């Protein structure tokens, strides 16, 4: 059992479920653990609070920092639910391996997430499509100047009630100058530096009127990889196409769920190389009918425009069929309104107020 220190000052009464800008509202408690002398210790759930960190903290200087994004939701009967938590535990550990950081046993991760969500169940927004976003993070904690793997780490899990990450369809710029990740790099890991590296090209794309980047491969700037903050899908000639993960693309768990859902519904789904030229040509000749991004935060978001080297294709997002179906399916699994034939969802024991 993970010990719990309860807050004496809950912020829950001031929560307005109808007004929760993504990333700004935090629940009362967090999971906290330290890794030292080769083992996890000081594990507890405690009130969310600031940390006191030495200025030489290794993570700040050399970037040993990884995170996850997952969601807890409420079943229609009011029970808190998780979806595929073991996948997030495994991906966090894969990121940890790449960044030379310790693993947390899968059972411990799931126990921590379950205990936090059960405690914070009243923070889960009831509306379909909303969720309690969970943010596990682990970072180096050694006080040391010099490049080496840290010997100490801090692991936390925060919880944030959220609505949709994106509210409206996106305009993406296919980026032909800057890159997100190269083969052999850290693209597959959910590590802070990947996101830091995306900020400057994103800023430039926004100045040009785009909402986000569509990343191309580092070597030839030819193959589509993913979009900023999410994986990417196209519907071309009635087939669903998404770039195959190749070592430099994040192995999205929502991506994986959507591929499995669509296949089970009879769609043809191709995981393969797709060039930006194919996308632009298919957009122009009308064979591409949809483009959408997928991610834990974004779930499924329509793309209404793709720009590449000054050329633009537009899509009528109101006519999309696959993307809204996929989003509706995931949201329905998350609130228990359809049968979970994949066995992905876990209802947490504690029954809460609906
Ligand atoms: C997620 O989708 O959970 C992510 O971590 C992406 C982040 C930009 C919010």
């Amino acid at each position: 059992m993970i010990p719990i220190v309860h807050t004496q000052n809950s912020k829950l009464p001031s929560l307005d479920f109808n007004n929760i800008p993504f990333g700004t509202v935090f629940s009362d408690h967090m999971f906290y653990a330290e890794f030292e002398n080769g083992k996890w210790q000081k594990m507890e759930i405690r009130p969310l609070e600031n940390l006191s960190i030495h200025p030489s903290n290794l993570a700040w200087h050399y970037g040993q920092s990884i995170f996850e994004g997952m969601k807890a939701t409420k079943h229609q009967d009011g029970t808190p639910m998780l979806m595929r938590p073991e996948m997030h535990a495994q991906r966090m550990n894969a990121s940890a391996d790449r960044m030379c950081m310790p693993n947390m046993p899968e059972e411990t991760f799931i126990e921590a997430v379950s205990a936090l969500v059960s405690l914070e169940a009243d923070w889960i927004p009831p509306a379909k499509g909303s969720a309690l976003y969970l943010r596990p993070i682990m970072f180096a904690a050694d006080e040391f100047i010099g490049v080496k793997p840290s010997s100490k780490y801090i692991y936390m899990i925060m919880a944030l009630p959220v609505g949709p990450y994106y509210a409206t369809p996106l305009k993406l710029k296919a980026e032909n100058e800057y890159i997100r990740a190269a083969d052999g790099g850290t693209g597959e890991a959910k590590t802070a530096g990947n996101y830091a590296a995306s900020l400057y090209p994103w800023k430039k794309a926004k100045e040009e009127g785009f909402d986000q980047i569509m990343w191309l491969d580092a070597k030839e700037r030819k193959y589509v990889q993913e979009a900023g903050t999410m994986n990417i899908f196209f519907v071309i000639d009635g087939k669903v196409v998404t770039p195959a993960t190749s070592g430099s693309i994040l192995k999205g768990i929502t991506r994986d769920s959507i591929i499995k859902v669509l296949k089970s519904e009879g769609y043809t789904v191709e995981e393969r190389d797709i060039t930006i030229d194919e996308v632009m040509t298919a957009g122009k000749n009308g064979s591409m009918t949809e483009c959408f991004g997928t991610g834990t935060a974004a779930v499924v978001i329509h793309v209404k425009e793709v720009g590449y080297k000054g050329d633009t294709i537009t899509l009528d997002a109101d006519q999309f069929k696959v993307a809204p179906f996929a989003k509706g399916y995931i949201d329905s699994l998350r609130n228990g309104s359809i049968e979970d034939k994949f066995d992905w969802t876990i209802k947490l024991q504690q029954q809460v107020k609906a």
Side-chain angles (χ1 to χ4, degrees):
M1 275 278 277
I2 297 172
I4 299 178
V5 181
H6 289 266
T7 182
Q8 297 305 311
N9 186 19
S10 174
K11 298 184 297 306
L12 191 57
S14 63
L15 175 64
D16 174 5
F17 278 125
N18 298 312
N19 180 23
I20 34 175
F22 198 104
T24 58
V25 179
F26 296 83
S27 77
D28 287 328
H29 300 89
M30 66 177 181
F31 168 80
Y32 181 90
E34 291 178 8
F35 185 88
E36 195 171 356
N37 299 325
K39 59 178 192 295
W40 290 105
Q41 38 192 300
K42 299 188 186 163
M43 238 182 245
E44 66 177 12
I45 290 175
R46 64 190 201 197
L48 184 94
E49 62 191 2
N50 292 348
L51 305 178
S52 172
I53 304 269
H54 191 273
S56 70
N57 173 276
L58 265 187
W60 288 347
H61 297 260
Y62 309 112
Q64 252 192 323
S65 176
I66 59 169
F67 68 96
E68 265 303 308
M70 57 189 290
K71 278 176 170 169
T73 47
K74 252 184 205 174
H75 191 278
Q76 295 181 120
D77 67 12
T79 317
M81 297 171 82
L82 298 173
M83 190 162 132
R84 310 186 83 184
E86 72 292 346
M87 296 285 284
H88 293 278
Q90 287 160 16
R91 191 172 63 179
M92 186 80 172
N93 283 340
S95 298
D97 288 343
R98 180 63 182 84
M99 302 304 290
C100 239
M101 300 165 85
N103 279 205
M104 175 165 282
E106 228 172 287
E107 321 75 71
T108 311
F109 177 92
I110 293 174
E111 187 189 349
V113 166
S114 304
L116 181 65
V117 170
S118 297
L119 180 67
E120 303 295 59
D122 287 344
W123 286 85
I124 304 174
K128 190 176 181 186
S130 297
L132 190 64
Y133 184 81
L134 303 171
R135 171 46 60 90
I137 178 169
M138 186 204 330
F139 58 89
D142 275 8
E143 297 167 4
F144 178 74
I145 297 293
V147 181
K148 64 157 188 128
S150 187
S151 63
K152 289 186 258 171
Y153 295 87
I154 292 175
Y155 201 121
M156 293 177 294
I157 306 175
M158 291 162 267
L160 301 82
V162 296
Y165 191 75
Y166 294 112
T168 52
L170 303 179
K171 295 180 181 181
L172 299 184
K173 175 189 174 188
E175 174 60 61
N176 65 307
E177 184 179 0
Y178 302 99
I179 58 144
R180 175 184 172 275
D183 281 358
T186 58
E188 213 174 68
K190 239 174 141 48
T191 184
N194 288 342
Y195 294 81
S198 75
L199 297 178
Y200 183 68
W202 179 38
K203 172 176 167 260
K204 295 193 73 165
K206 282 201 289 188
E207 284 164 6
E208 293 168 35
F210 295 97
D211 302 302
Q212 260 299 348
I213 301 278
M214 182 189 285
W215 295 110
L216 303 180
D217 73 283
K219 203 167 165 195
E220 299 179 76
R221 313 284 197 277
K222 181 175 168 189
Y223 298 100
V224 175
Q225 294 212 308
E226 61 179 84
T229 70
M230 53 198 178
N231 295 109
I232 189 94
F233 285 73
F234 307 93
V235 181
I236 301 175
D237 289 326
K239 293 179 193 157
V240 182
V241 182
T242 189
T245 54
S246 59
S248 53
I249 297 178
L250 186 80
K251 284 189 178 155
I253 294 164
T254 307
R255 171 188 180 279
D256 182 75
S257 300
I258 285 172
I259 290 171
K260 292 191 164 79
V261 165
L262 292 178
K263 281 185 175 169
S264 82
E265 293 290 318
Y267 288 92
T268 302
V269 183
E270 295 178 350
E271 293 179 73
R272 62 164 169 88
D273 288 345
I274 176 162
T275 65
I276 185 62
D277 287 342
E278 179 181 350
V279 169
M280 297 306 283
T281 303
K284 280 184 189 160
N285 69 21
S287 55
M288 182 165 95
T289 47
E290 298 185 37
C291 175
F292 55 93
T294 68
T296 302
V299 190
V300 175
I301 182 73
H302 299 35
V303 173
K304 66 177 179 185
E305 190 178 304
V306 178
Y308 176 55
K309 291 186 177 170
D311 204 3
T312 303
I313 54 166
T314 53
L315 294 159
D316 185 356
D318 290 338
Q319 299 302 316
F320 287 11
K321 296 196 169 51
V322 181
F325 169 77
K327 175 165 175 16
Y329 200 104
I330 298 293
D331 286 343
S332 299
L333 279 175
R334 286 193 189 278
N335 83 346
S337 55
I338 55 172
E339 185 209 343
D340 177 8
K341 63 182 179 192
F342 301 97
D343 220 7
W344 286 338
T345 51
I346 295 175
K347 282 175 101 175
L348 299 179
Q349 292 306 319
Q350 186 194 345
Q351 195 78 17
V352 294
K353 295 184 280 301

